[in-house]
Amino acid sequence: MKMERRVALKSMAVAMGAMAGLPSWASGWNKSAVAKGRLLSADQSKNLTMIVETIIPKTDTPGAGELGVGDFVQKMVKDCYDAKAQASLASGVSNIDEQSIQRFGKSFTDASKEQRLQILSEIEKGSDAVQKGFFSMVKNLTIQGYMTSEYVMTNITHYEMIPARYHGCVPVKKG
Amino acid sequence: MANFNIDSKKARTYDAIVIGSGISGGWSAKELTEKGLKTLVLERGRDVQHIKDYPTTNMMPWEFEHRERLTKEIADANPIAARCYNFKESSMHFFAKDNEHPYIQEKPFDWLRGYQVGGKSLLWARQTQRWSKYDFEGPARDQFAVEWPIGYDDLAPWYSHVEKFAGITGNKDGIDALPDGEFLPPHDLNCVEKYFKEQVSKQYKDRHIIIGRAAHITEPQQIHLDQGRAKCQHRVMCERGCPFGGYFSSNASTIPWAMKTGNMTLRPHSVVHSIIYDDKKQKASGVRVIDANTKQMIEFYADIIFLNAAALNSNLVLLNSVSSRFPNGLGNDSGLLGKYVAFHNYRATVSGEYEGFLDSTTDGKRPNSGYIPRFRNVYKQETDFLRGYAAGFGANRNTYNDRNGLGESLKAGLHETKYGNWSVGSHMMGETIPKESNYVALDKTEKDPFGMPKMRISVDYDDNDEKMIKDYMEQVSEMFTKAGFANVRTHDNHRNPGNDIHEMGGARMGKDPKTSLLNKWNQLHHCKNVFVTDGACMTSTSTQNPSLTYMALSARAVDYAVKQSKAKNL
């Protein structure tokens, strides 16, 4: 009985999933706000992707770069943040690249993993309020984009769209 | 209109017209059509059909390009709507846009509107507590507004009637001040909520913590299956529209039910301009509609008219229905139409933490929360303010991830969920006192894009509300502290009136035609075939989320109207 219900729910969800494309009156809300063109140049975008990959790197699972979090960060700043934050994203990304060239003689995307981590962690712990503000915004958005990516929600945090239950008091799972 | 021939007029004539398809209009339509009346339902917005027109309902979190956050463009263009907790990327298509539906704020008022078939029943918080006799007795006992012409006993059978059909989860708590209803099995209180319930009942003999009564199907009955609705799946994404029909909305329930009778005609894009008054017959003969697409005026005719346009818009329709007999608005001999508007005071919250039950957590999701029924001034006046407040109460086990560091250590931290203390929180739901100085009126010159006079809204808090906020903060802080909660903090969010989305009154019920617009059957004292059964009819507000009461009033008024119509008394 229980099984049948689950199968029924699943097929219902699949059937309805087919109509996920938004009709004009719903997507109309977003159309003009959707990123047309980008905030960053192609080079800056590559650098941003390398920044998010440095913040959350590939291990035995994909890193933020591979999961497209760089584009997510850029989209969020472009659509949801004010002009000041948008300017700080562009200048912050360029600044990181310049630092890399000055200190290591190569662009941020060509720098070693250790060199990239060194630059970012110095900014995070440093005293330059503007760069710190920029980096905090990028780090927070990187974490958000990573944690809400399809890969992480499906394979790591095991998001349940349809819990079909609420138990008010269960033991905390250890480990 | 002279060009329309007799056939055309006949084609536009119905037994009844319902203005509005939201939570109360849906009920009016269901009851009228079930009783065999050919009924025209007019809705100012577009059609929203159950499931088919819920475009975001099955979208995964990562499919929202801004992860539910509003873009700056949308937030800036819609500051009023954007202040609503429910206005987000997945649900904003169910809200009226600020700039398309302008109104005049004499004082700050967040007027939140759902202009589509189903209205705000797609967006509501689904809390469905009955009023008690103490709530109805309030104005008479405490000498404000006017006496309610009905009491709890008048409405109780109709509460049962609507509860059985809508599907209400709840626990029979046996509390005098919050009557039990026809309940499906209750949701769980969690460990900390249960603990708080025990602590409060030890410390206070008249205070209770209960699970909210809510319009969710926890165990479908035949009547729910007959509607094509299924058990609530605890997705807690109700504002997207529910593909299971797990919660009650007009779209999932009353509107398709009415449609199935074969007696309903649903006309979206129909902005009601006014109700037509026939001087000879001394009653209403129909309504004038502005077609939202063509902007053309069309008339429809019926012997019974139910006005369910939502509280303030029902005021607007009546105010705009002027005739030689009613130069100040339909039924408005008293001059009180639009006045004595009130709302619910949601300004204060109390939060804290609890360090117990650290081996426990919750599992799954719950589309409901705990509830603290009103305990102030229930049986007698005992504070320096009138009336009282109910409160929401909930506890959650905090989880977090370590966000320190960069690189692999950060990634490892993000992959491990850690448990913090339990957080506890409460919000107040205070009764506000209707006053003549809190009113809505039509602007004499400015029009909205449909050519309707712009609404002027002048509604504010008063000293009674401020005292109530203070008392709520003190009392709930004390309850939290006595239960051993730590870091107890109070907060005043200073939200504007209207943000509660519980605006009521303006066409209040009462015994005396000199001091009220509607009689005990929600019937205009001076125009017997017009019934108003949405929030506009409310004489006072009490503390309960009001929708259940509108549903019961609608069903009761339809029953009366149809009986009177058959007896040729309308």
Side-chain angles (χ1 to χ4, degrees), chain B residues 237-307:
Chain B
M237 302 173 174
C238 312
E239 66 282 353
R240 300 183 187 182
C242 181
F244 304 98
Y247 75 92
F248 174 84
S249 65
S250 297
N251 311 66
S253 179
T254 46
I255 293 289
W257 190 265
M259 195 62 96
K260 230 167 42 178
T261 65
N263 291 325
M264 184 177 78
T265 303
L266 178 63
R267 193 179 198 278
H269 304 294
S270 301
V271 180
V272 171
H273 173 275
S274 53
I275 295 169
I276 305 163
Y277 185 75
D278 185 324
D279 276 317
K280 257 186 265 165
K281 292 181 183 158
Q282 298 193 346
K283 61 179 187 176
S285 58
V287 301
R288 296 182 193 92
V289 165
I290 302 165
D291 185 294
N293 296 321
T294 66
K295 303 280 161 76
Q296 279 190 327
M297 191 94 88
I298 312 165
E299 293 186 353
F300 295 96
Y301 309 98
D303 285 335
I304 299 176
I305 294 169
F306 268 73
L307 182 50

Side-chain angles (χ1 to χ4, degrees), chain B residues 60-114:
Chain B
M60 301 302 267
W62 56 85
E63 293 179 286
F64 293 96
E65 54 180 344
H66 305 103
R67 303 296 193 270
E68 291 280 28
R69 187 164 166 168
L70 299 176
T71 65
K72 198 169 174 304
E73 185 181 340
I74 287 169
D76 289 350
N78 298 280
I80 296 163
R83 281 193 289 271
C84 178
Y85 71 101
N86 233 349
F87 185 80
K88 46 192 173 181
E89 202 166 22
S90 61
S91 61
M92 58 191 174
H93 47 277
F94 291 144
F95 285 78
K97 294 182 205 175
D98 289 12
N99 60 346
E100 290 179 7
H101 301 284
Y103 61 97
I104 297 165
Q105 301 179 58
E106 292 187 2
K107 294 168 181 168
F109 187 92
D110 290 353
W111 190 15
L112 295 162
R113 293 151 292 170

